[in-house]
Amino acid sequence: MNYEIKNVWSVLLRLFHWALVLSIVVLVVTGLYINTPWTNTTLEGSVSFPMACMRYFHFLAGYLFTAAVLVRLFLYFFGNRQERIWDILPVTPRNIKSLTTTLAYYCYISDKHDSRLGHNVLAGMVYIVTIVAAVFQLISGFYMLFPETGVWQTLGNALFTSQQQGRFVHHLLMWYFILFAFSHVYMVIWNDVKSSEGLISSIFTGKKFKQKNV
Amino acid sequence: MDEQAGNRTTNSGISRRSFIKSCSVAAAALGLSEAMIPKLVEAAETAKRPTVIWLHFQECTGCTESLLRGSHPDLGRLILDIISLDYHETVMVPSGHQAEKSLHDSVAKNTGKFILVVEGAIPTADNGNFCKISGRTAMDILAEVGPKAAAIIAIGTCASFGGIQAAAPNPTGAKGVQDLISGVPIVNIPGCPPNPVTFLGTVLHYLTFKRLPNCDNMGRPLFAYGRRIHDHCERRAHFDEGRFVEEFGDFGHRNGYCLYKVGCKGPETFSNCPSTRFNDVDVWPVSVGHGCVGCTEPNFWDSMTPFYERLPQVSIPGTGIVTDADSAGKKILGVAAAAVGVHAAVGIGKSVLKGKKEE
């Protein structure tokens, strides 16, 4: 078969992706510790600050996460054709068709693969939901980190009513990200097996393989 | 009643030293500089003692009990030297019609000038029938007295936000003062009970500057509710160093470790408890080994429970399942893993069958 190499993902999008991966892994691990710390310094006076360290890494990763989300929001409007939001919103006939085709394809109802350069619309929609969740996650995070600072206090109180509710939402959204990461990895492997486009390597190289004139 | 506070101090035999001490404590609570203490003393001495009317509604009188145990100032000095307490059901001498008369006389005489203190929530369901004093509902009394006040101090979480009576499903429709009165400056001093020093500080602030102190977006004075308990807690070092009480009575508890894991709500509660403390014996819940329950926050009975867990429970609609977030998350993750397994198996099975067809 004849394949050609297509450039799909910009460097910035790939950086966004891996920054998000790294930050989510660190955030979930340290976040679980912060919520349910296992006691590991019983010797008073020893040089050990597990909670302080976990919080420090949680905040560092939080800033990386925030940067990644801001980059993705920027790319939704100023990225290349595949990265822009119009390519994945189910508002055009082409995109609505992509959504139904993909659903049938994922449910093994049809073998027709919607071959696109960028995301299929189902995946794209899940990513939009994830970015929205990420925005709420970072607002609730900064609300807890800067509870006495005007902007975050006003915004956080308006959205979550209280620190405790903000914390609760923050914790529930963490479980959303765990579930998302799990199903995302599975669907990517599944797609890579089903259609040989080099989907997994595309997030490293930015390139996909497409069949020529088929 | 028209006597000035300064005269009272000399006449009543209360030493000037202890009078100034009270003012200094209040200045410290307000975060005022040393230079302001003389002004505060002057205000307390020379200002005509402000008339205070204290209304009790749906409450347990715990806020008054806390005030009775205050010592900066003690209740006697507060009501004799600093304010003119014209109506307070718990501490006043008259009862029955005489008591009612003193309320009406005082309101009529001081319209637009008195400070109204409200203790307790106001039930609004069924026309407020759940709380009546001398045949009139709390709603009626507040609607009559409230708009005539110069300022309203809502003391306690009930008067501020509804408190325990307003906990879901709030059968009596209990509400805080700020939900029912508008057009009069209202300051909330929540807490169950609040610290008497915070109350005195607010009153003295009003006397000195002729206005209520700066408040946060929930109407709580910033001098007392501007900082998180967790950030001033004496057990904070144990938190940062990872030493936690696992259960009440264990080694960590006996050694004063952090109460985070047994549900302390200090990290999400705003109050001056760790620095001001209570009852002149320098205690507050965390210092005696019990976690904060978040009593200064709105709806704490709903949002801060379970008191001995970190986070509220998750209820899954339609199933009646109430569980903690982590066990729900793990179960959902398990279901997702099973779904992935089924999905992959179907795919493999299908390709095996199809492969045979093609042969």
Side-chain angles (χ1 to χ4, degrees):
Chain A
M1 251 186 282
N2 233 345
Y3 280 96
E4 60 181 341
I5 294 173
K6 293 261 191 188
N7 285 321
V8 180
W9 306 123
S10 66
V11 176
L12 198 55
L13 185 116
R14 284 176 272 155
L15 277 175
F16 144 76
H17 178 269
W18 292 110
L20 198 70
V21 171
L22 180 68
S23 63
I24 286 178
V25 169
V26 174
L27 285 166
V28 166
V29 172
T30 56
L32 283 171
Y33 178 87
I34 292 166
N35 185 62
T36 320
W38 47 92
T39 303
N40 47 8
T41 40
T42 45
L43 189 62
E44 287 181 43
S46 58
V47 185
S48 170
F49 298 92
M51 180 57 93
C53 291
M54 288 290 184
R55 275 161 52 90
Y56 178 67
F57 288 119
H58 193 79
F59 301 153
L60 274 188
Y63 280 105
L64 184 64
F65 181 81
T66 306
V69 171
L70 290 177
V71 164
R72 190 64 186 102
L73 288 173
F74 171 81
L75 289 175
Y76 270 136
F77 299 100
F78 304 104
N80 67 27
R81 199 169 157 272
Q82 296 76 248
E83 293 157 7
R84 291 195 182 195
I85 198 163
W86 316 116
D87 198 49
I88 43 176
L89 277 184
V91 287
T92 60
R94 169 179 171 266
N95 284 356
I96 292 167
K97 193 159 164 283
S98 166
L99 186 61
T100 51
T101 312
T102 308
L103 273 172
Y105 182 55
Y106 280 13
C107 297
Y108 301 115
I109 292 165
S110 112
D111 278 338
K112 195 166 170 293
H113 172 52
D114 176 39
S115 181
R116 294 161 65 106
L117 270 187
H119 304 306
N120 71 58
V121 173
L122 182 64
M125 289 303 292
V126 174
Y127 300 155
I128 290 177
V129 169
T130 305
I131 291 294
V132 171
V135 169
F136 277 91
Q137 188 72 326
L138 66 92
I139 293 174
S140 57
F142 282 117
Y143 178 47
M144 285 188 279
L145 184 57
F146 302 117
E148 289 136 19
T149 305
V151 182
W152 296 115
Q153 196 183 33
T154 314
L155 194 60
N157 280 337
L159 288 173
F160 312 113
T161 68
S162 71
Q163 283 282 319
Q164 178 72 344
Q165 289 301 301
R167 184 174 306 257
F168 191 40
V169 170
H170 199 76
H171 192 78
L172 295 182
L173 284 175
M174 174 199 75
W175 278 105
Y176 171 79
F177 284 101
I178 294 173
L179 279 166
F180 167 75
F182 178 75
S183 42
H184 174 68
V185 169
Y186 171 71
M187 285 322 295
V188 165
I189 295 171
W190 185 86
N191 268 296
D192 205 49
V193 170
K194 289 276 284 183
S195 55
S196 315
E197 295 180 339
L199 183 66
I200 292 177
S201 71
S202 74
I203 201 63
F204 294 98
T205 62
K207 296 174 172 62
K208 278 188 185 177
F209 295 89
K210 287 286 172 187
Q211 283 180 30
K212 243 181 187 174
N213 306 324
V214 176
Chain B
M1 224 169 278
D2 289 328
E3 249 180 311
Q4 290 181 339
N7 300 340
R8 293 295 309 198
T9 42
T10 46
N11 293 345
S12 63
I14 297 164
S15 80
R16 182 159 178 86
R17 183 183 169 80
S18 57
F19 173 71
I20 290 173
K21 232 162 104 184
S22 295
C23 291
S24 306
V25 167
L30 283 165
L32 298 176
S33 84
E34 213 182 334
M36 283 304 294
I37 295 174
K39 289 197 177 165
L40 219 72
V41 171
E42 199 189 319
E45 271 179 350
T46 55
K48 179 177 166 289
R49 290 180 304 146
T51 303
V52 173
I53 291 173
W54 190 301
L55 295 176
H56 294 259
F57 295 132
Q58 209 176 22
E59 43 90 334
C60 68
T61 320
C63 302
T64 293
E65 289 289 341
S66 169
L67 196 67
L68 292 176
R69 281 152 186 74
S71 51
H72 293 294
D74 62 52
L75 189 79
R77 190 168 306 130
L78 177 71
I79 64 176
L80 294 173
D81 294 344
I82 297 173
I83 60 174
S84 165
L85 191 62
D86 284 12
Y87 182 84
H88 186 300
E89 283 149 22
T90 312
V91 299
M92 67 186 177
V93 177
S95 60
H97 291 297
Q98 283 180 313
E100 283 302 301
K101 187 172 177 298
S102 69
L103 173 62
H104 291 128
D105 289 352
S106 180
V107 170
K109 197 174 149 199
N110 299 294
T111 297
K113 285 182 280 185
F114 66 92
I115 298 176
L116 175 65
V117 181
V118 177
E119 182 180 347
I122 301 97
T124 58
D126 293 343
N127 297 321
N129 261 340
F130 295 98
C131 177
K132 279 187 168 179
I133 297 151
S134 71
R136 296 178 61 206
T137 62
M139 272 171 88
D140 267 357
I141 299 171
L142 183 68
E144 185 205 320
V145 180
K148 292 175 186 161
I152 301 179
I153 298 175
I155 193 165
T157 302
C158 301
S160 302
F161 310 118
I164 183 173
Q165 300 80 261
N170 193 1
T172 62
K175 286 185 174 172
V177 176
Q178 62 186 4
D179 298 327
L180 297 167
I181 298 280
S182 54
V184 181
I186 298 173
V187 63
N188 291 326
I189 304 185
C192 199
N195 199 313
V197 170
T198 308
F199 175 71
L200 174 72
T202 307
V203 171
L204 278 187
H205 190 285
Y206 185 78
L207 282 181
T208 311
F209 301 107
K210 309 292 177 236
R211 61 176 174 83
L212 291 171
N214 286 341
C215 292
D216 67 4
N217 59 346
M218 290 173 202
R220 306 179 293 192
L222 281 170
F223 74 81
Y225 301 92
R227 303 298 304 276
R228 252 192 316 200
I229 283 181
H230 191 52
D231 298 335
H232 287 272
C233 182
E234 66 242 34
R235 299 192 185 211
R236 180 59 187 259
H238 292 299
F239 173 82
D240 286 336
E241 294 178 27
R243 286 189 294 271
F244 298 98
V245 175
E246 300 290 332
E247 58 180 45
F248 289 106
D250 71 359
F251 176 83
H253 194 223
R254 280 180 277 124
N255 283 276
Y257 290 177
C258 175
L259 295 156
Y260 185 79
K261 286 184 85 172
V262 287
C264 177
K265 301 297 188 295
E268 41 266 355
T269 305
F270 293 81
S271 184
N272 57 357
C273 305
S275 38
T276 311
R277 297 162 179 254
F278 280 83
N279 296 355
D280 211 25
V281 283
D282 277 356
V283 293
W284 65 296
V286 169
S287 78
V288 293
H290 191 284
C292 166
V293 298
C295 70
T296 60
E297 298 294 313
N299 307 320
F300 81 98
W301 207 265
D302 293 328
S303 62
M304 296 293 183
T305 46
F307 287 143
Y308 302 102
E309 306 284 337
R310 281 239 54 74
L311 290 167
Q313 306 258 290
V314 179
S315 59
I316 299 163
T319 57
I321 298 172
V322 179
T323 179
D324 70 280
D326 284 335
S327 79
K330 280 175 201 155
K331 278 172 196 140
I332 294 167
L333 194 62
V335 170
V340 159
V342 170
H343 191 263
V346 169
I348 292 165
K350 214 182 153 194
S351 71
V352 167
L353 287 175
K354 230 172 92 181
K356 272 179 190 167
K357 253 186 232 166
E358 275 172 9
E359 276 175 1

